[in-house]
Amino acid sequence: MRNLRSYYSSEIEEFLNKSDSEILGIIYKNDASAETKIQQSNTWELEISILKKQLADFNNGRIIFEYIIPRMGKRVDVAFLYKNIVFILEFKCGDNEYKSSTYDQVYDYALDLRNFQKESHNKLIVPIMISTKAIAETLTVKEHARIIEPIKCNSNNIADTIKHVARQYVEPAFDYLSWENSEYLPTPTIVEAAQALYRGHNVADITRSDAGAENLTVTTDEINKIIEYSKVNQKKSICFVTGVPGAGKTLVGLNIAIQRSDAKKGEHAVFLSGNYSLVAVLQEALARDKVAQAQNVNNKITKKDALRSTSAFIQIIHKYRDSFVRNNNIPPERVAIFDEAQRAWTKEQISKFMLTKKGITDFDYSEPEFLISTMDRHKDWAVIICLVGGGQEINTGEAGLPEWFNSLRREFLDWDVYITPHLNDDEYRRSNKWEDMIAGLNVYEVEKLHLSTSVRSFRTPDLASFVKAILDVDTQKAKDLLERCKDKYPIMITREMVKAKDWIRTQCQGTTRYGLLASSGALRLKPEGIFVKNDISVENWFLNGKNDVRSSYYLEDVVTEFDIQGLELDYSIVAWDADFRFENNEWHYYNFSGNRWNNVNSMDKRIYLKNSYRVLLTRARQGMVIFIPKGNDNDNTRVTKYYEGIYNYFKSVGVAEI
């Protein structure tokens, strides 16, 4: 039976006594790939030879080859458990220099183990990068949060390095087999998850399995039951999936879209979003990954071809919608997933768009009504899945949830409507009466369609609630929640951008991603060097590496709520402007026009502005710093008092200053 956790594992004594060919044979047997490349085979042979020489006088410990890191879809070359320390060895056979990419790679492995493998949370982890032909460097041991900064070795000083660290640290005993088989509770980013799902993994393989997050699989299973029921009984059904920010609604939608994209079963599925940034980043990420995966097996595929296939099941909703205007075409899809369904356009907004952009004068639908009507063209069965975020509407013309129900009541009374009880909340209802919204509809209440736990902020489940308390001015609740999460999830404030950048870079190791965020209305952050009107490539900002000036890592380009909604970072700097001020114990709403701030009187626009900051404050998975400028009384657009109220409010809640 193939070992799924590693390709070879044994006590060090057994490893030293086995022949190289025996060990290699076990590794081959456990390698799931159809054929192992000669280069990989030679690498394993060299690793075995080097480690047999280097570890020849070690009489205890456990050695593990190709140990899996599930969330990343990667395997550690070698894990060596010795003196109750976890050594992570990453070989670069033949390299004569120590590359920064290898440094980040092995650091990422260590961080992933610490964050997501249960038995590693309190263990000392020592990542070692081994460039076999490089010149030896002076050994320095620096620890940060129970991880040693990656140590550089060649093929001749591995043993000396391990012994040096083991002498320096005396660690509590633990069972090596328990560590090796430890429960792994990954929380991938949406990009990592999309890539893993596209490669054929199931959502259960790449997400946490603990009780707090199990409803990802529970919700997926419930939706699949509804789809099967609709298919067998020739029903048309619409499901409303709700969840707290970061609970994994988009992940559930992507999982369903990929599972149901089987044309042979007559089950074309499509994942639709009006969020251009999310679609662009996911399409690009999947295309890049597809090219890289092909290269790994000596195949060639152009990114253009890869984008063509990845765009088949992830589409921008407006392009999909427009393909059915003024025709009676029946969609090839039986299952349509609408991400952020609350952001679908009102009748007024879409009619204006059709007139000005398409020259169509008689478009008489809201976007929800038209989208339902396209799926209603099927004569037998169809399923629509609406992924709905409470308090997520951030732009003029977004209809919110009520318009979906208005559309169903007007034209589609024969559809079955599956809801969660959480929809009866003002964040979703927007002051509409619930009994009026569902009047006359075939409504079925299903609790399992609600995702109650945030998995974005894997360090604490309380972030979304803390942000809601802050925005609702529920000061005591905010204090209590901050106290519960501050040790696991740092939230800081500062009045100086230099301090914010220094703090965030200190927190982040490996390829831990961080970036600069601000409201699209934060027009007077320009004197601080923050230009929210700059055009940027969101694909490059989110996906490019640390050495690329276009990436988030440089902290030069800022993204707004429109760019980052549905996506996430590990750490963020949220830059706060005077568009959303705290005065007289309540939030005040402004927009900047010409050379002055103006009051925002429209209730809808106030909701959008408040939700913009909700989005910004819930994007970081591991921690954030909030930058609040000092202002300048010589500039009447940045008067000091505009910012003092915000700063004092966060201080009063207990947020610490850098």
Side-chain angles (χ1 to χ4, degrees), residues 257-459:
I258 292 168
Q259 286 180 355
R260 294 282 172 174
S261 58
D262 188 346
K264 292 178 182 177
K265 293 183 180 179
E267 284 192 3
H268 276 296
V270 63
F271 180 91
L272 301 168
S273 176
N275 184 338
Y276 169 80
S277 296
L278 177 69
V279 172
V281 169
L282 289 181
Q283 287 179 347
E284 176 75 12
L286 293 183
R288 291 186 188 186
D289 191 57
K290 188 164 186 165
V291 170
Q293 295 297 317
Q295 287 175 343
N296 288 340
V297 291
N298 288 330
N299 289 337
K300 283 190 176 180
I301 180 174
T302 66
K303 195 172 82 170
K304 185 177 180 181
D305 287 338
L307 272 170
R308 191 175 295 115
S309 64
T310 62
S311 300
F313 78 96
I314 298 179
Q315 297 181 31
I316 193 77
I317 201 167
H318 308 314
K319 290 183 179 179
Y320 174 88
R321 174 202 67 207
D322 293 352
S323 68
F324 296 104
V325 175
R326 288 194 161 174
N327 63 56
N328 294 313
N329 296 343
I330 298 175
E333 297 83 13
R334 293 284 185 169
V335 179
I337 299 105
F338 296 119
D339 193 32
E340 297 176 6
Q342 77 283 352
R343 297 186 66 188
W345 287 354
T346 61
K347 179 180 174 180
E348 292 74 22
Q349 183 75 6
I350 194 172
S351 297
K352 181 180 177 182
F353 174 85
M354 288 295 181
L355 177 62
T356 56
K357 300 294 185 181
K358 307 286 184 181
I360 297 173
T361 59
D362 56 351
F363 193 88
D364 199 32
Y365 307 88
S366 68
E367 193 165 43
E369 183 176 351
F370 185 72
L371 293 170
I372 299 171
S373 75
T374 62
M375 293 297 285
D376 195 56
R377 295 176 188 182
H378 287 290
K379 299 302 180 188
D380 40 20
W381 72 279
V383 177
I384 294 172
I385 300 157
C386 293
L387 309 175
V388 185
Q392 297 289 296
E393 303 92 335
I394 58 174
N395 205 1
T396 301
E398 292 178 356
L401 183 72
E403 179 53 30
W404 286 91
F405 285 84
N406 293 341
S407 299
L408 288 164
R409 289 198 316 277
R410 281 195 301 267
E411 299 290 341
F412 309 104
L413 291 172
D414 58 326
W415 278 60
D416 288 343
V417 183
Y418 294 88
I419 64 166
T420 76
H422 301 269
L423 283 177
N424 188 8
D425 184 287
D426 196 51
E427 279 189 344
Y428 297 109
R429 289 188 286 103
R430 294 178 67 174
S431 300
N432 289 269
K433 289 184 179 180
W434 179 241
E435 55 271 24
D436 293 342
M437 283 176 59
I438 64 173
L441 299 177
N442 305 320
V443 173
Y444 302 91
E445 192 172 284
V446 183
E447 174 66 35
K448 292 177 181 178
L449 294 179
H450 180 71
L451 297 162
S452 58
T453 303
S454 175
V455 293
R456 176 183 297 132
S457 311
F458 57 86
R459 288 187 170 180

Side-chain angles (χ1 to χ4, degrees), residues 559-571:
V559 299
T560 71
E561 68 274 15
F562 298 116
D563 303 311
I564 200 160
Q565 189 173 43
L567 293 159
E568 65 247 313
L569 301 166
D570 289 302
Y571 286 84

Side-chain angles (χ1 to χ4, degrees), residues 9 11 62 81 119 174-182:
S9 172
E11 293 296 318
R62 188 166 190 86
L81 309 178
E119 289 289 327
F174 66 91
D175 184 88
Y176 294 165
L177 276 175
S178 295
W179 181 91
E180 183 177 352
N181 297 305
S182 172

Side-chain angles (χ1 to χ4, degrees), residues 85 196 265 295 306 377 440 476 487 554 571 592 626:
I85 299 170
K265 293 183 180 179
Q295 287 175 343
R377 295 176 188 182
Q476 188 56 52
D487 291 335
Y554 264 70
Y571 286 84
F592 191 80
I626 299 166

